[in-house]
Amino acid sequence: MKYLLSLLLLIGLIACSTSQTSKYSKIEYEVGPCFGFCPIYKITVDTDKNAVLEAEHFNFSQGEGKGDLDKPREGTFKSKISSANYDKLITLTDVANVKSLSDSYIDKRIMDASKSNLRVYFSDGSKKDIAMTAGEKPKNLTALITFIDELKQKQNWQKVN
């Protein structure tokens, strides 16, 4: 019994010493307007897997026309990200190695595209802000922002206001 208790205590200590805190305090992705009916939104995910969607326009419709812009803002929504999706978000952020990326992937030749910003807040207090438009970007950055956009579509959003 004494050996079993010692073994369980050892396993518990090893588990505690190998658990990691996230190197990111939150991840934000914001998409601005384009010359058409592009979704305008900001999504924020924190370390507790809480997601907040600040939806402006065209997030829940197919963009019936410019009159949509006269309608009220769609609202603020919240959701809880599944552990699997959160782990994938963190993995894709790690693989993108955002600290090493350029601050701007703006292609000035593409005039009608949305401007977007990826902001990664690190647990050490630092932040990386990457401005983007359509055009060439590193493949791993594209995979990360594509996943965030897909995540926005998959979540069961609860309207806050």
Side-chain angles (χ1 to χ4, degrees):
M1 186 66 159
K2 182 169 50 171
Y3 294 111
L4 182 59
L5 189 57
S6 297
L7 180 63
L8 289 174
L9 181 61
L10 180 63
I11 291 171
L13 288 173
I14 291 170
C16 288
S17 66
T18 59
S19 67
Q20 298 178 0
T21 58
S22 178
K23 62 179 120 180
Y24 312 109
S25 58
K26 71 178 172 179
I27 298 171
E28 283 181 355
Y29 182 59
E30 184 171 10
V31 180
C34 67
F35 289 145
F37 306 109
C38 305
I40 305 166
Y41 67 93
K42 180 167 93 172
I43 186 170
T44 305
V45 178
D46 68 18
T47 56
D48 293 326
K49 302 177 189 118
N50 297 311
V52 175
L53 172 64
E54 297 175 47
E56 292 293 327
H57 296 287
F58 311 118
N59 288 281
F60 305 108
S61 68
Q62 297 300 331
E64 290 89 35
K66 289 188 181 196
D68 281 3
L69 291 171
D70 297 330
K71 294 179 183 175
R73 179 180 174 276
E74 290 170 340
T76 301
F77 301 82
K78 66 178 182 171
S79 185
K80 193 79 161 176
I81 305 293
S82 72
S83 291
N85 281 332
Y86 182 77
D87 291 346
K88 185 170 182 180
L89 174 65
I90 296 305
T91 299
L92 288 170
T93 305
D94 287 344
V95 169
N97 194 13
V98 293
K99 276 193 175 183
S100 71
L101 297 175
S102 172
D103 292 340
S104 179
Y105 293 95
I106 303 284
D107 189 336
K108 294 181 181 177
R109 298 172 296 168
I110 304 173
M111 301 293 290
D112 62 344
S114 296
K115 181 179 175 193
S116 60
N117 286 80
L118 175 67
R119 293 179 197 94
V120 178
Y121 296 82
F122 296 89
S123 56
D124 66 4
S126 63
K127 173 178 98 166
K128 178 69 173 188
D129 192 346
I130 303 171
M132 300 168 274
T133 58
E136 290 196 34
K137 295 179 260 319
K139 182 175 78 170
N140 292 334
L141 177 59
T142 300
L144 172 59
I145 60 177
T146 298
F147 179 73
I148 293 171
D149 189 58
E150 290 170 357
L151 193 61
K152 177 187 78 116
Q153 302 300 326
K154 293 180 198 174
Q155 287 304 118
N156 183 17
W157 297 104
Q158 310 268 333
K159 190 163 186 173
V160 176
N161 65 23

